[in-house]
């Protein structure tokens, strides 16, 4: 098992006891280290596979890790717990949710379900849609949950009317989830932590069971996941965390690089190990990546190196506009194809999904096949969502959100007014709408005789299929459902022009059910629904087919391709304008650029456009500051005859590569007792934060250049004559930036930012 491992990798595998933090650079073989370590525990130390728990961040990574472990240690097959944080939370809650007042068969709401529920709540509470757009309101509640802020705490800390209204929305959201016997994605971790805090004997049982806890991509954990990790490793302290702080790019979903930077404070007595040998990229690509990321000051520090010396220079391409950029990428792909390079070895990365439009157009015109990861999701298409909603109601009859979607699909003569009356009466009676549908006398007095008959027949159908779901596998249930509701016939009548495509999607859903059951040996309906809900975009990446892949840089983390195109290397896109409003925003954007660079194995193409079309007009763009941080000897320039002006806004006096700078820490680390409570975690975090603010905290300090102001809608500003106001619209870029500001006293005004002499006085309002 140890053959072929380098010295640091071997040490990581063999050092099995106590807390370890392994800083694993891109392409340094961390997955091999993790799987070999697990196999070593089982084969050489006779650790029962059931005593090992490993966290990954995607289902795809979990499958790969599980497969590798089982090849090296066949006795581990199906016995180790290897999965995502959410999947692990589900496994625990399926056994223990009743302790928290939820059914163990709870439904898991995805983002679409959550948004539907939020729309209903905001309407019922008459919340101002300008202050509480459904998507933003759902995100805000998600942030509260991930910070482990309860409804009571949110209400207690409310300072404004808007804060009070938010607490009302939060309370009603939680109430309806519980009424529907449902949990959202955040609950899968939050409720697990709540379970451990409220039932310490349960926490102790799971902690005693898992004698070795391993965490992949540790830099992507959020504070709540850190508490969950601590709870599950509390009995023994055998935690093996692997990650790369230079690839921490998910702060927008709650992840914090502090979990890694302050690991020694959170886990006293821990040891640090670095994996710096890269087995993926050429030395030129690594030199560029090392040099750029060295401009970040908040990092543990490392320098990637490789035995693959030399390699092709990076191509830095200058384009007139977005269409010209897309054309250059298309032509290069065609040229590489003529040289025999398979299209599946090429990937095009961009900062935002909107950038894919011009690239798609260029590829389509040339007839180049491609796939987009992160676009329209298969499981969110209308007909697929309809059938999944049926299956969810069969598994959990209390799920009123899924019920509302299918109660008149296919159409069975139940109007919107009848549905509203049904839901209102059910809420008043404290029962589920489906329960009320079975009470014929009360139902008739609520919605009328004719709708009552149809609703009663519908309830009986759901009841019969629900009984089938309790005794048969998911394939049998799906077949019986399709026959009972005649959904395919309805699709053909509903919209003949789209029927063929929609029927293909229905057939593909049936294939998914069959595949799941065959892979899991008679998988139940509940297990199938769980697997679908936990599926991430990257898990849908096609392994076969010779096509170019398009995806965002965020989605690409963890992947590698021989040929990588990075589009849109411009100020305002990369780094993104919105990120510049946040502390450490530029550093995270630089980490994102670093992730994009290190996806490349052989060739790397970076492109920057002089202008981009926005809202119907072309606006000038400036090259990304990160391009100015590339070492001069690592790239060649292609495109415009006149090179655009580039500036390096590096916060360090030198852009040259440097060896790592270990983060020093106090001789007296933050105390972490044998408990794992959220309060204990917050105290430790506060102590670490206090220490980090000390001038002698160990980070190399450098003079920060004065950044130009970047404006965004919702930002509060002050004008010397017009007073205070809120930015509503931002148009243009650089010296041409135009702002529409709603001033409290002067009303709405349009100003040219360069000459307006305004200053920022507050953070972005709203969610």
């Amino acid at each position: 098992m140890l053959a072929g491992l380098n010295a640091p990798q071997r040490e990581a595998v063999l050092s099995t006891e106590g807390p370890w933090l392994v800083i694993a650079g891109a392409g340094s073989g961390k997955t091999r280290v993790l799987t070999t370590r697990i196999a070593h525990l089982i084969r050489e130390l006779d650790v029962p596979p059931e005593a090992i728990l490993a966290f990954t961040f995607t289902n795809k990574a979990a499958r790969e890790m599980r497969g590798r472990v089982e090849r090296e240690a066949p006795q581990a097959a199906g016995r180790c717990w290897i999965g995502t944080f959410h999947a692990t939370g589900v496994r625990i809650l399926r056994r223990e949710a009743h302790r928290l007042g939820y059914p163990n068969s709870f439904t898991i709401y995805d983002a679409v379900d959550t948004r539907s529920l939020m729309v209903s709540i905001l309407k019922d509470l008459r919340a101002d849609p300008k202050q509480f757009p459904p998507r933003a309101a759902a995100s805000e509640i998600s942030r509260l949950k991930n910070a482990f802020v309860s409804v009571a705490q949110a209400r207690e800390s409310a300072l404004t009317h808007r804060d009070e209204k938010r607490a009302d929305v939060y309370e009603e959201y939680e109430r309806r989830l519980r009424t529907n016997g449902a949990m959202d994605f955040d609950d899968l971790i939050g409720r697990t932590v709540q379970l451990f805090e409220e039932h310490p004997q349960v926490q102790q049982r799971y902690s005693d069971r898992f004698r070795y806890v391993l965490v992949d991509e540790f830099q992507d954990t959020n504070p709540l996941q850190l508490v969950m990790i601590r709870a599950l490793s509390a009995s023994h302290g055998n935690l093996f965390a692997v990650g790369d702080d230079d690839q921490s790019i998910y702060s927008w979903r709650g992840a914090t690089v502090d979990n890694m930077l302050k690991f020694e404070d959170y886990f006293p007595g821990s040891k640090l190990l670095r994996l710096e040998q890269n087995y993926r990229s050429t030395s030129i690509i690594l030199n560029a990546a090392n040099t750029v990321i060295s401009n970040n000051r908040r990092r543990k520090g490392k320098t990637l190196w490789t035995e693959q010396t030399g390699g092709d220079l990076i191509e830095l391409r200058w384009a007139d506009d977005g269409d010209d950029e897309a054309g250059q990428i298309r032509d290069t792909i065609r040229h590489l194809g003529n040289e025999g390079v398979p299209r599946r070895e090429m990937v095009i990365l961009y900062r935002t999904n909107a950038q894919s439009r011009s690239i798609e157009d260029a590829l389509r015109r040339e007839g180049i096949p491609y796939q987009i990861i992160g676009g329209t999701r298969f499981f969110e298409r209308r007909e697929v969502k309809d059938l999944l909603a049926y299956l969810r109601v069969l598994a959990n009859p209390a799920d009123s959100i899924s019920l509302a979607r299918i109660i008149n699909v296919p159409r069975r003569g139940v109007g919107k007014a009848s549905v509203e009356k049904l839901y209102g009466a059910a809420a008043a009676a404290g029962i589920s709408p489906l329960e009320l549908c079975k009470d014929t006398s009360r139902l008739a007095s609520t919605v009328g005789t004719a709708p009552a008959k149809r609703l009663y027949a519908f309830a009986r159908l759901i009841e019969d299929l629900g009984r089938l779901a309790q005794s048969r596998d998911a394939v049998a249930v799906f077949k019986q459902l399709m026959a009972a509701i005649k959904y395919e016939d309805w699709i053909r009548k509903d919209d003949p022009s789209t029927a063929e495509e929609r029927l293909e999607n229905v057939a593909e859903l049936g294939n998914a059910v069959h595949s799941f059951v065959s892979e899991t040996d008679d998988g139940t309906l509940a297990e199938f629904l769980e697997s679908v809900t936990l599926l991430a975009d990257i898990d849908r990446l096609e392994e076969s087919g010779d096509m170019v892949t398009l995806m965002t840089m965020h989605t690409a983390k963890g992947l590698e391709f021989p040929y990588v195109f990075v589009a849109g290397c411009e100020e305002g896109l990369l780094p993104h304008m919105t990120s510049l409003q946040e502390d450490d925003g530029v550093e995270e954007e630089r980490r994102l650029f670093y992730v994009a660079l290190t996806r490349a194995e052989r060739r790397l193409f970076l492109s920057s456009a002089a202008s981009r079309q926005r809202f119907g007009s072309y606006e000038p763009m400036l090259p990304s500051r990160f391009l100015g941080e590339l070492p001069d000897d690592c790239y060649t320039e292609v495109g415009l005859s006149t090179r655009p002006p580039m500036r390096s806004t590096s916060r360090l006096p030198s852009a040259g590569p440097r060896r790592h700078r270990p983060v020093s820490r106090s001789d007296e680390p933050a105390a972490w007792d044998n408990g794992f409570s959220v309060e204990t975690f917050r105290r430790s975090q506060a102590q670490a934060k206090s220490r980090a603010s000390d001038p002698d905290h160990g980070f190399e300090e450098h003079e920060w250049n004065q950044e130009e102001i970047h404006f965004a809608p919702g930002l509060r500003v002050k004008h010397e004559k017009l007073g205070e106001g809120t930015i509503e619209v931002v148009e243009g870029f650089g010296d041409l930036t135009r702002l529409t500001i709603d001033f409290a006293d002067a009303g709405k005004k349009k100003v040219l930012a360069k000459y307006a002499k305004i200053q920022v006085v507050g953070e972005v309002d709203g969610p």
Side-chain angles (χ1 to χ4, degrees):
M1 285 189 299
L2 302 180
L5 295 181
N6 61 38
Q9 290 175 332
R10 183 183 292 258
E11 183 180 0
V13 168
L14 298 178
S15 304
T16 57
E17 303 305 305
W20 281 83
L21 175 63
V22 177
I23 301 175
S28 63
K30 68 178 179 64
T31 303
R32 183 180 181 187
V33 166
L34 282 163
T35 55
T36 305
R37 182 184 173 93
I38 295 172
H40 171 74
L41 288 169
I42 296 170
R43 283 177 49 180
E44 305 301 325
L45 302 185
D46 293 325
V47 175
E50 294 84 359
I52 298 173
L53 170 65
F55 288 109
T56 65
F57 267 81
T58 67
N59 295 299
K60 183 174 182 287
R63 286 195 301 271
E64 291 176 357
M65 185 181 295
R66 195 178 298 115
R68 289 198 195 187
V69 168
E70 291 175 0
R71 283 193 295 273
E72 293 190 16
Q75 63 268 47
R79 296 169 64 189
C80 291
W81 277 37
I82 300 176
T84 65
F85 280 92
H86 293 96
T88 301
V90 169
R91 290 187 73 172
I92 293 172
L93 291 170
R94 287 294 182 210
R95 296 163 168 81
E96 315 289 350
H98 62 279
R99 300 177 188 273
L100 300 175
Y102 289 86
N104 287 355
S105 60
F106 59 87
T107 296
I108 305 171
Y109 280 179
D110 62 16
V112 175
D113 303 316
T114 297
R115 206 171 305 130
S116 298
L117 180 59
M118 189 60 70
V119 167
S120 174
I121 291 170
L122 294 171
K123 178 182 177 182
D124 292 345
L125 295 182
R126 298 181 181 178
D128 184 350
K130 292 183 179 179
Q131 284 196 322
F132 294 96
R135 186 189 298 269
S139 296
E140 195 164 355
I141 299 305
S142 175
R143 283 194 291 271
L144 289 172
K145 285 190 168 191
N146 278 297
F148 215 64
V149 175
S150 66
V151 171
Q153 290 169 326
R155 194 174 299 286
E156 183 180 347
S157 62
L159 298 176
T160 66
H161 175 70
R162 187 190 180 284
D163 292 341
E164 293 173 353
K165 195 68 173 178
R166 180 182 65 176
D168 292 340
V169 173
Y170 187 9
E171 181 175 20
E172 182 61 15
Y173 177 75
E174 292 290 84
R175 189 191 70 78
R176 293 198 191 184
L177 279 179
R178 192 174 289 273
T179 299
N180 291 343
M183 295 188 190
D184 62 21
F185 261 45
D186 298 318
D187 287 331
L188 301 181
I189 299 173
R191 297 301 178 198
T192 303
V193 171
Q194 179 188 352
L195 171 74
F196 290 160
E197 288 215 301
E198 295 181 0
H199 301 275
Q201 75 282 4
V202 176
Q203 177 269 327
Q204 188 68 44
R205 173 157 45 88
Y206 282 98
S207 182
D208 288 344
R209 169 178 176 165
F210 299 120
R211 288 164 43 197
Y212 294 91
V213 177
L214 301 91
V215 184
D216 191 12
E217 305 287 5
F218 189 77
Q219 77 281 348
D220 294 334
T221 55
N222 64 30
L224 209 53
Q225 289 165 337
L226 183 62
V227 177
M228 185 175 174
I229 293 166
R230 185 63 180 93
L232 290 166
S233 61
S235 294
H236 44 74
N238 293 328
L239 171 65
F240 186 77
V242 182
D244 182 2
D245 51 318
D246 289 334
Q247 296 187 65
S248 179
I249 58 174
Y250 294 124
S251 66
W252 48 274
R253 68 183 189 193
T256 171
V257 70
D258 283 349
N259 283 0
M260 195 157 182
L261 295 179
K262 300 165 186 172
F263 186 88
E264 296 94 330
D265 295 314
Y266 297 144
F267 298 92
S270 59
K271 298 177 183 178
L272 184 67
L273 185 64
R274 287 181 171 85
L275 303 181
E276 297 179 298
Q277 182 174 0
N278 177 280
Y279 295 91
R280 174 188 300 164
S281 307
T282 66
S283 59
I284 285 179
I285 292 171
L286 292 183
N287 182 34
N290 284 333
T291 303
V292 169
I293 200 63
S294 69
N295 290 293
N296 274 6
R297 67 187 184 99
R298 298 192 69 235
R299 59 191 296 253
K300 289 282 191 181
K302 67 181 178 306
T303 299
L304 295 178
W305 63 276
T306 180
E307 295 178 347
Q308 302 179 55
T309 58
D312 291 302
L313 291 174
I314 298 168
E315 287 195 20
L316 181 50
R317 296 174 173 268
W318 306 111
D320 288 319
D321 54 31
D323 291 336
D324 182 31
E325 175 189 53
Q328 290 192 38
I329 292 173
R330 174 203 61 212
D331 293 344
T332 304
I333 289 173
R334 182 179 55 199
H335 175 71
L336 290 172
N338 292 338
E339 291 184 345
V341 177
R343 285 184 288 263
R344 63 176 173 273
E345 293 187 357
M346 309 178 207
V347 68
I348 304 171
L349 306 180
Y350 34 78
R351 177 64 177 81
T352 65
N353 279 307
Q355 291 171 251
S356 73
R357 197 270 313 160
S358 58
I359 298 171
E360 288 185 73
D361 286 347
L363 296 178
R364 273 198 301 266
R365 285 195 296 270
E366 189 69 18
I368 297 175
Y370 64 90
Q371 63 172 336
I372 295 183
I373 306 302
T376 302
R377 298 173 175 88
F378 172 78
F379 288 104
E380 291 180 6
R381 292 170 183 167
R382 175 185 167 190
E383 54 278 4
V384 176
K385 287 291 290 183
D386 285 347
L387 294 173
L388 288 176
Y390 264 103
L391 296 176
R392 283 178 167 181
V393 172
L394 300 186
N396 176 16
D399 184 358
S400 62
I401 293 295
S402 297
L403 181 69
R405 183 181 185 95
I406 61 171
I407 202 166
N408 197 38
V409 175
R411 284 185 283 272
R412 51 179 57 89
V414 180
K416 183 178 178 181
S418 295
V419 174
E420 289 179 350
K421 291 176 183 178
L422 170 68
Y423 271 64
I431 59 176
S432 72
L434 202 57
E435 286 182 84
L436 181 56
C437 288
K438 300 174 188 176
D439 188 337
T440 53
S441 59
R442 192 191 305 184
L443 184 62
S445 64
T446 301
V447 300
T449 304
K453 289 181 179 179
R454 301 183 186 108
L455 287 171
Y456 177 73
F458 170 72
R460 289 296 304 272
L461 170 67
I462 295 297
E463 189 174 39
D464 292 342
L465 291 172
R467 279 196 294 268
L468 181 70
Q470 293 174 8
S471 58
R472 302 289 300 279
D473 65 29
V475 170
V477 177
F478 186 77
K479 285 182 176 179
Q480 191 63 35
L481 170 66
M482 295 299 293
I485 65 174
K486 297 181 173 56
Y487 190 79
E488 292 173 326
D489 292 342
W490 177 71
I491 283 181
R492 294 186 182 94
K493 297 175 184 176
D494 180 54
D495 186 356
S497 64
T498 63
E500 184 176 353
E501 180 182 354
R502 294 175 67 192
L503 287 171
E504 287 177 358
N505 290 333
V506 171
E508 185 58 31
L509 178 60
N511 293 338
V513 177
H514 275 275
S515 297
F516 175 81
V517 171
S518 63
E519 291 171 4
T520 56
D521 297 328
D522 301 328
T524 65
L525 176 60
E527 290 170 338
F528 170 72
L529 292 171
E530 183 179 298
S531 71
V532 167
T533 308
L534 296 178
L535 199 62
D537 286 341
I538 198 61
D539 298 318
R540 303 182 181 97
L541 180 62
E542 294 291 339
E543 299 293 346
S544 60
D546 191 21
M547 58 184 72
V548 179
T549 299
L550 281 66
M551 66 177 76
T552 65
M553 299 174 195
H554 284 97
T555 304
K557 194 168 78 66
L559 303 178
E560 56 189 51
F561 293 84
Y563 299 84
V564 172
F565 297 83
V566 182
C569 298
E570 298 130 32
E571 290 290 303
L573 274 179
L574 184 68
H576 196 273
M577 183 178 294
T578 56
S579 70
L580 300 177
Q581 302 295 339
E582 306 165 2
D583 292 341
D584 303 322
V586 171
E587 292 212 350
E588 178 152 336
E589 292 290 299
R590 187 177 283 109
R591 292 195 291 266
L592 184 59
F593 185 57
Y594 174 82
V595 166
L597 298 181
T598 53
R599 298 313 93 197
E601 297 174 350
R602 285 181 238 158
R603 298 284 303 277
L604 179 60
F605 306 88
L606 310 177
S607 55
S608 177
S611 65
R612 286 202 181 270
Q613 192 173 21
R614 291 187 65 202
F615 307 113
S617 62
Y618 283 90
E619 299 182 356
M621 306 295 287
L622 294 174
S624 168
R625 66 190 68 192
F626 304 146
L627 298 182
E629 297 170 0
L630 294 168
D632 293 336
D633 60 354
C634 78
Y635 64 86
T636 181
E637 298 178 68
V638 180
L640 300 178
S641 56
T642 303
R643 173 179 175 170
M646 283 203 299
R647 62 189 178 94
S648 172
T649 55
S650 167
R651 293 164 175 168
L652 300 175
S654 167
R658 292 180 302 284
R659 294 298 297 174
H660 54 70
R661 309 184 300 275
V663 178
S664 66
R665 53 192 174 90
S666 168
D667 292 334
E668 297 295 331
W672 191 301
D673 57 28
N674 291 329
F676 59 90
S677 69
V678 174
E679 191 55 42
T680 304
F681 162 72
R682 286 173 176 156
R683 284 201 307 273
S684 298
Q685 194 176 44
Q687 291 174 15
K689 184 176 181 180
S690 173
R691 198 159 31 255
S693 65
D694 190 298
D696 299 321
H697 60 70
F699 290 115
E700 289 187 13
E701 291 292 346
H702 299 275
E703 197 69 30
W704 284 51
N705 293 341
Q706 179 65 37
E707 296 284 340
E708 61 183 353
I709 299 176
H710 291 270
F711 301 101
L715 200 64
R716 297 197 303 277
V717 296
K718 184 177 182 180
H719 187 276
E720 59 183 5
K721 292 183 179 179
L722 300 175
E724 290 192 8
T726 302
I727 297 176
E728 290 192 345
V729 180
V730 179
E731 302 170 286
F733 193 78
D735 291 347
L736 302 179
T737 302
R738 299 177 299 280
L739 308 175
T740 301
I741 304 175
D742 187 3
F743 290 101
D745 298 323
K748 291 186 180 181
K749 303 287 184 182
K750 281 197 173 185
V751 300
L752 199 59
K754 181 176 180 180
Y755 303 104
K757 294 182 179 180
I758 60 176
Q759 59 185 136
V760 176
V761 297
E763 297 293 331
V764 176
D765 284 335

